[in-house]
């Protein structure tokens, strides 16, 4: 009873969907933390205590102080089976080549990290040339930089550029200095690596080590040592996970949709046949089972095809993700069993979900429909359909409102994804009800190309509302998604930039160039107002979690107050932010001036500070204000993120100067770029899909229209006219879909704009990237026109099918 | 003693609403006795097909009742009705009778398979042979002529040995030799197996195979012929009723 030709469309759609799901889940399963090469030889790694932060904040762990490190290292070295215990000291350091930081892989966090030479043992590093560093001023660098042992090199650290001598070369990114230098630059330690005697079992050693460390750290072995990977890598992988999850979810959702409309369409086309089955004795249940069985066969075979294709493209897609920055450079594809199992089930599951509505319709076909013409489908919408559609649209509107009012970009994006899904589903469900009025609206433009054609086009679209709707649905889906998501991302970016520029009272901003931050020397050279961010840890007595990480900004109070328009002091005065024990807290910290406030700094030292002022929460882009000197004293590797200036100056080494609007626009550029790429990826997935679905439906519809077309041709139309008729018809349908989709999305965008304006406090312009929208509509139009012209041409020239 | 296999009481059938409302049947009361052959005749649009659909339980009338084998159809749910149809009724449509993806033989065995039975191959061959298509068993509908398709449909209606066979112009697309074959077959069902046959036709010659002729006009039974029925008698009776006889009788159905 299965017809290959009839099921080809659904097959292709399911196969593509499963391909994407398979590739995405494979990559998801592959994305696991990797033990840094630097620590590869340390069978046991002791990590400093976890910061009590949510997993997606990527805060570093709370470091041990210098004294505690020395004590721990000594005790760990005495554990039986441990041959050496080496603290892993990591700080900011970058070798300058030709007076600038080298344009090496800027995304590799370890390319601008320095370490003490003793920790090279933990990674089994060998010198490829020269000697290890023995005293201050000596350094071992990456061979890839092209420097020679004995030659001079300028090393950029948080203090500024300093002259060093290259004593040796290794085959790894980063720089290695003498242990004494490393201890000064990185007084706080976050990991101690243990080398274990060859004959001993790492797990046994780890057990003993746990007894030594107690609650002051985590003891890791095997793959668990991945927890000490660079925070940047963890963050990149987290972003990748969001991208892949969204891709898998979207692909699955869109597939169900496209396949559902394909099945609905096949059922509509087969009404006569189904009626005949009913007439000769098939019960509604049997008809339903028949449709289910067909879907299951299509789903299972397409699922296997998609699974194989997905497994095949996964490595390439993985490399692409690394290239664009959605996965860390250390990412590798691994073929785990569970994604394969999930994808294997995805095909039948998608097909069964998709066929649900269609099978209900099929079961309701009455025996007498065998006698009726298939195309005239006069009852466009049932009450259940309208109710479902209205509910979905309402849910979509509510979710859009959620997007607009959420103050967190991540949850906003999630809301947006769900909003679009709901709106699209609702609009598609309602489409048959809306098609009639819209076609009537579009009447005039179509009337022009010769009365007969216009009449036929309109009549065709109107009588077969459901056919029209199932062609328009994928376009609607794609366009709505493209407009809403791209518009939302662009509008949000612009809104935040406007808000940022509005808050800063400065003409120019000095920002780092090819470096993670600005050194003290660079800051001093500009003479402007600088922010020196660092991570500190706070344990509020009685309120978990312990070691909550906070972003503290080291500032000079007068300059900060002058440059920050959003600053509102609630209590105390900012001018008291002096000395080595003062802090300014936001109102939400619930502290009053003169109360004590204890913090653990990046060097692991616990210090009791005094609150001198309280500011409103939105005054600062951080959690605390500290005197700049305090931050520097406790965090030798802290880097300045930006310096605000009245007037333009010549930028110092490793820096650029930009005007404030440019700065505002690019302040989150790296993030914005990722978000935009993510957006384009999602739009690409759905657009490619929509276009395939349109072509697919049109090709299927063509099969049912051969007779019509021949009749029109016999009635005296030229072949050219018939092809024009078919093309105009599909163009019209694509236009209907684009219009509906655009309208739905625009409503969402308006609410988002309102929410944003409220949030950033300045008027927000609606930014819609028309090129993206145009591209999406163009793609659908192109494929639609091609598919319909091609099939019309083919059916008019074929001489075989006499039962046409 | 004759029992009434199918009884129709006060049937009314209405299509459409408002201005497009059409009364296809307007109070039809009649019955078809077991072991009889009835021909239903009348001008195009007079409600013949509608009558057959209602009697076979394919459609539900607006008013009135249909009783088959003593069971009132309006008491039955969709599933029971389907089962009754599958077991007791054979139907040959005016057009579009076959599932296009199945071969002739598969089309013939379809009702039995739907009932969960597996028909012996020889029954299927016999049924096809009876309509002269034994050699076309493996062909799909697209490879059969219109008349051949019609005959496959007749074979399918016979294979379940139903109590009643309803046939809507089964000979409409056949030449006279093939027509005779089908009509003899239907006659044989009545004579040899005491099955009941109700057939719509426009052809007085076909009607001559029947024991009884019902004449329909505007949804009402307007005349009934029994006894010795010949083509000439039927044609004469129709001519009597028609105001413009030549046109109506000669016109093929829609
Ligand atoms: N589905 C329908 N919707 C609306 N009107 C219908 C429908 N089916 C039949 N009719 C109308 O009901 C009336 C009776 O139709 P029916 O098919 O029973 O006629 P018939 O006697 O079988 O004609 P023919 O000899 O042409 O087959 C006609 O006027 C027809 O137009
Ligand atoms: Mg008829």
């Amino acid at each position: 009873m299965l017809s290959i030709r009839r099921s080809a469309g659904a097959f292709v759609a399911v196969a593509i969907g499963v391909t994407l799901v398979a590739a995405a889940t494979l990559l998801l399963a592959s994305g696991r933390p990797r033990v840094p090469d630097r620590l590869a030889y340390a069978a046991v790694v002791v990590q400093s205590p976890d910061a009590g932060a949510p997993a997606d904040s990527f805060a570093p762990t709370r470091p041990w102080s210098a004294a505690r490190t020395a004590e721990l290292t000594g005790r760990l070295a005495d554990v039986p089976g441990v041959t050496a215990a080496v603290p892993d000291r990591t700080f900011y350091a970058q070798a300058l080549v030709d007076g600038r930081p080298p344009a090496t892989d800027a995304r590799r966090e370890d390319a601008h990290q320095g370490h003490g030479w003793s920790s090279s043992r933990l990674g089994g590093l060998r010198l490829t040339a020269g000697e290890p560093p023995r005293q201050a001023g000596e350094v071992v660098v990456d061979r890839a930089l092209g420097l020679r042992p004995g030659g001079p090199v300028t090393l950029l650290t948080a203090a500024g550029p300093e002259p060093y001598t290259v004593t040796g070369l290794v085959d790894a990114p980063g720089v290695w200095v003498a242990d004494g230098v490393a201890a000064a630059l990185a007084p706080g330690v976050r990991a101690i690596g243990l080398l274990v005697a060859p004959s001993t079992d790492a797990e046994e050693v780890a057990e003993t080590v746990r007894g030594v460390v107690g609650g002051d750290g985590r003891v890791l072995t095997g793959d668990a040592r991945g927890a000490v990977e660079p925070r940047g890598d963890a963050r990149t992988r987290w972003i990748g996970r969001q991208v892949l999850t969204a891709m898998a979810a979207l692909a699955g959702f869109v597939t169900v949709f496209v396949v559902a409309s394909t099945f609905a369409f096949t059922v509509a086309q087969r009404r006569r046949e189904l009626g005949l089955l009913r007439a000769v004795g098939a019960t509604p249940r049997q008809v339903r089972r028949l449709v289910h069985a067909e879907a299951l066969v299509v789903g299972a075979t397409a699922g296997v095809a998609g699974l194989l294709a997905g497994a095949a493209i996964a490595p390439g897609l993985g490399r692409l993700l690394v290239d664009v920055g959605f996965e860390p450079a250390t990412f590798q594809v691994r073929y785990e069993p569970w994604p394969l199992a999930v994808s294997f089930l995805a095909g039948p599951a998608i097909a069964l979900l998709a066929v649900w509505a269609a099978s209900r319709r099929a079961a309701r076909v009455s025996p007498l429909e065998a006698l009726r013409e298939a195309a005239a489908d006069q009852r466009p919408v049932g009450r259940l359909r309208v109710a479902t559609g209205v509910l979905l649209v309402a849910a979509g509107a509510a979710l859009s409102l959620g997007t607009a009012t959420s103050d967190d970009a991540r949850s906003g994006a999630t809301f947006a994804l769900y909003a679009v899904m709901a709106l699209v589903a609702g609009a598609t469900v309602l489409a048959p009800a809306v098609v009639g009025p819209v076609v009537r609206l579009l009447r005039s433009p179509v009337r022009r190309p010769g009365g007969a054609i216009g009449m036929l086009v309109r009549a065709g679209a109107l009588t077969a509302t459901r056919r029209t709707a199932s062609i328009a649905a994928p376009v609607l889906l794609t366009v709505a998604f493209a407009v809403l998501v791209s518009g939302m991302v662009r509008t949000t970016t612009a809104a935040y930039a406007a808000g940022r520029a509005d808050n800063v009272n400065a003409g120019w901003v000095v920002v780092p160039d090819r470096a993670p931050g600005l050194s003290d020397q660079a800051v001093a050279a500009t003479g402007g107002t600088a922010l020196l961010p660092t991570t500190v840890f706070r344990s509020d007595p009685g309120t978990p979690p312990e070691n909550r990480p906070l972003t503290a900004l080291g500032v000079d109070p007068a300059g900060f107050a002058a440059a920050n328009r959003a600053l509102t002091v609630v209590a105390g005065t900012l001018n008291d932010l002096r000395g080595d024990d003062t802090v300014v807290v936001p109102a939400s910290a619930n502290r009053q001036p003169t109360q004590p406030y204890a913090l653990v700094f990046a060097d692991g030292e616990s210090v009791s500070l005094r609150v001198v002022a309280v500011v409103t929460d939105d005054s600062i882009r951080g959690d605390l204000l500290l005197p700049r000197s305090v931050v520097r004293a406790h965090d030798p590797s802290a880097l300045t993120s930006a310096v605000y200036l009245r007037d333009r100056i010549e930028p110092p080494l490793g820096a650029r100067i930009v005007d404030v609007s440019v700065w505002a626009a690019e302040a989150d550029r790296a993030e914005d770029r990722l978000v935009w790429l993510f957006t384009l990826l999602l739009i690409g997935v759905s657009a490619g899909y929509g276009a395939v679905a349109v072509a697919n439906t049109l090709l299927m519809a063509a099969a049912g229209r051969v007779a019509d077309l021949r009749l029109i041709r016999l009635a005296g139309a030229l072949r050219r006219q018939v092809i024009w008729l078919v093309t105009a018809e599909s163009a019209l349908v694509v236009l209907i879909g684009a219009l509906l989709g655009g309208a739905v999305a625009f409503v969402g965008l308006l609410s988002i704009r309102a929410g944003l304006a409220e949030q950033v406090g300045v008027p927000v312009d609606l930014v819609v990237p028309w090129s993206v929208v145009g591209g999406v509509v163009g793609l659908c139009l192109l494929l639609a026109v091609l598919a319909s012209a091609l099939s019309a041409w083919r059916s008019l020239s074929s001489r075989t099918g006499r039962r046409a | 003693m004759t029992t009434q296999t199918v009884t129709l009481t006060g049937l009314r059938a209405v299509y459409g609403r408002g201005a497009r409302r059409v009364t296809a049947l307007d109070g039809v009361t009649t019955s078809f006795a077991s072991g009889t052959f009835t021909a239903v005749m009348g001008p195009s649009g007079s409600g013949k097909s509608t009558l057959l659909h209602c009697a076979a339980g394919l459609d539900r009338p607006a008013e009135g009742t249909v009783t088959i084998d003593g069971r009132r159809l309006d008491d039955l749910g969709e599933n029971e009705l389907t089962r009754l149809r599958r077991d007791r009724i054979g139907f040959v449509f005016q057009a579009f009778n076959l599932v296009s993806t199945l071969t002739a033989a598969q089309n013939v065995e379809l009702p039995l398979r739907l009932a969960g039975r597996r028909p012996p191959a020889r029954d299927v061959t016999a049924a096809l042979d009876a309509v002269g298509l034994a050699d076309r068993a493996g062909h799909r509908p697209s490879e059969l002529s219109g008349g051949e398709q019609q005959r496959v449909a007749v074979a399918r209606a016979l294979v379940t040995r139903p109590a009643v066979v309803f046939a809507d112009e089964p000979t409409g697309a056949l030449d006279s030799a093939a027509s005779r074959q089908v009509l003899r077959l239907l006659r044989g069902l009545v004579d040899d197996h005491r099955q009941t046959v109700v057939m719509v036709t426009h052809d007085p010659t076909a009607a001559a195979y029947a024991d009884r002729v019902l004449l329909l006009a505007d949804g009402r039974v307007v005349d009934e012929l029994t006894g010795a029925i010949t083509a000439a008698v039927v044609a004469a009776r129709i001519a009597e009723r028609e105001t413009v006889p030549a046109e109506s009788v000669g016109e093929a159905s829609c």
Side-chain angles (χ1 to χ4, degrees), chain B residues 43-50 53 94 168-169 200 202 253-254:
Chain B
S44 179
S46 57
K48 305 182 294 291
S49 296
T50 309
H53 296 157
Q94 201 165 351
D168 198 345
E169 298 188 40
V200 170
H202 284 286
S253 72
C254 51

Side-chain angles (χ1 to χ4, degrees), chain A residues 182-202:
Chain A
L185 285 171
V189 168
R190 297 198 158 94
I192 298 173
L194 306 183
L195 295 176
V196 170
S199 55
T200 40
D201 176 26

Side-chain angles (χ1 to χ4, degrees), chain A residues 393-417:
Chain A
V393 169
L399 284 164
S400 298
L401 218 69
T403 317
T405 50
S406 77
D407 36 302
D408 170 12
R410 279 178 205 148
S411 64
T414 314
F415 273 138
L417 198 65

Side-chain angles (χ1 to χ4, degrees), chain A residues 1-3 6 272-273 276-286 366-368 370-372 802-803, chain B residues 53 58-59 78-79 82 85-86 93 95-102 110-111 114 141-144 149 156:
Chain A
M1 189 97 6
L2 253 177
S3 157
R6 198 163 54 207
R272 290 187 91 171
E273 189 182 314
L276 185 60
L277 283 177
R278 292 277 291 106
V280 300
T283 59
R285 230 178 93 112
Q286 280 177 313
S366 92
L368 277 185
L371 304 176
R372 290 187 193 133
R802 82 182 153 87
R803 274 189 85 249
Chain B
H53 296 157
L58 291 170
D59 208 355
E78 194 56 44
N79 285 325
T82 304
R85 230 170 26 227
R86 197 158 70 191
F93 285 122
F96 192 78
N97 269 299
L98 305 181
V99 177
S100 59
T101 48
L102 301 182
L110 189 59
L114 284 170
S142 57
E143 297 155 346
L144 298 172
Q149 292 179 41
R156 182 183 58 201

Side-chain angles (χ1 to χ4, degrees), chain B residues 52-236:
Chain B
L52 238 61
H53 296 157
C54 290
L58 291 170
D59 208 355
R60 297 201 185 250
E63 274 173 39
T65 56
V66 178
T67 313
I68 297 179
D69 272 356
R71 298 176 72 182
R72 280 173 57 131
L73 296 195
D74 39 358
D75 294 340
L76 301 180
E78 194 56 44
N79 285 325
E80 289 169 297
L81 189 58
T82 304
R83 259 176 238 120
L84 176 77
R85 230 170 26 227
R86 197 158 70 191
D87 300 337
R88 314 292 295 154
I89 299 172
F91 206 99
V92 182
F93 285 122
Q94 201 165 351
F96 192 78
N97 269 299
L98 305 181
V99 177
S100 59
T101 48
L102 301 182
T103 63
Q106 286 170 328
N107 263 292
V108 170
E109 58 185 56
L110 189 59
L112 287 169
R113 278 187 179 267
L114 284 170
R117 273 176 283 157
R118 200 192 167 83
R122 93 190 114 72
D123 284 11
V124 175
T125 318
L128 279 171
D129 195 31
V131 293
L133 288 174
D135 53 336
R136 312 301 298 268
H139 289 72
R140 284 180 208 286
S142 57
E143 297 155 346
L144 298 172
S145 75
E148 285 164 345
Q149 292 179 41
Q150 195 79 350
R151 281 188 277 158
V152 174
V154 172
R156 182 183 58 201
L158 307 185
V159 78
T160 53
R161 300 237 160 266
V164 205
V165 173
F166 293 99
D168 198 345
E169 298 188 40
T171 58
L174 304 184
D175 62 40
S176 52
S179 293
R180 265 199 305 281
Q181 194 181 11
V182 166
L183 289 166
R184 284 211 196 101
L185 197 70
L186 293 174
R187 188 69 241 177
L189 296 180
V190 176
D191 295 342
D192 306 342
H193 303 282
R194 291 203 49 81
Q195 286 168 274
T196 308
V197 175
V198 182
M199 171 183 76
V200 170
T201 185
H202 284 286
D203 179 4
T205 322
Y209 283 79
D211 308 317
R212 171 173 165 237
V213 176
L214 280 184
L215 271 179
L216 243 59
D218 293 332
R220 275 183 248 255
V221 179
V222 290
D223 206 346
E224 192 174 333
L225 286 150
T226 44
I229 294 169
T230 62
V233 171
V234 174

